[in-house]
Amino acid sequence: QVRLVESGGGLVHPGGSLGLSCAASGNFFSISTMGWYRQAPGKERELVAHVQPEGTVEYVAFARGRFTISRDNAAKTVTLQMTSLSPEDTAVYYCNALVRTRPFQTPRDYWGQGTQVTVSS
């Protein structure tokens, strides 16, 4: 069983900053890609950023220059630091991880429960 638990969402004013954290727990063999997605009301879930075990990161256009993703492999955590937030960033943010529960298994997607980020004055 693999669990991803997010924390750190909340209400922030436009132009402000917020940090999200996600911790993986359970019985598994390895985690490959970890990332953050978001889903705004009435919209599809979209990728924000992801990070590989060796540290390679990728951001989508709206996140580049404002958001920073990082991971701690030993602690099995991934964080997302967000700056210069605008109301358009309001969404539920989901942690995602590709996890092998056994060696040589094809990695499978796991999701956290989501944390609400609201940017409003």
Side-chain angles (χ1 to χ4, degrees):
Q1 188 74 10
V2 179
R3 286 189 70 204
L4 299 177
V5 178
E6 299 108 337
S7 60
L11 174 66
V12 62
H13 293 307
S17 300
L18 198 64
L20 306 179
S21 184
C22 171
S25 64
N27 187 15
F28 51 87
F29 176 71
S30 68
I31 304 174
S32 56
T33 310
M34 299 187 82
W36 290 93
Y37 287 70
R38 71 184 189 183
Q39 187 167 18
K43 295 188 177 181
E44 294 188 354
R45 191 174 298 188
E46 60 180 352
L47 174 68
V48 177
H50 57 217
V51 55
Q52 304 303 328
E54 76 278 8
T56 303
V57 301
E58 183 174 349
Y59 299 94
V60 297
F62 66 75
R64 206 169 294 128
R66 298 190 301 133
F67 296 179
T68 302
I69 189 171
S70 61
R71 66 188 282 173
D72 183 328
N73 292 328
K76 303 179 184 65
T77 59
V78 60
T79 62
L80 185 69
Q81 297 295 330
M82 303 182 290
T83 64
S84 301
L85 288 163
S86 72
E88 289 70 34
D89 295 311
T90 295
V92 178
Y93 283 70
Y94 294 91
C95 176
N96 170 265
L98 285 175
V99 180
R100 287 186 177 87
T101 54
R102 295 188 304 276
F104 311 111
Q105 181 192 50
T106 299
R108 181 193 150 186
D109 268 317
Y110 288 86
W111 296 90
Q113 79 284 357
T115 185
Q116 177 69 46
V117 172
T118 302
V119 185
S120 175
S121 55

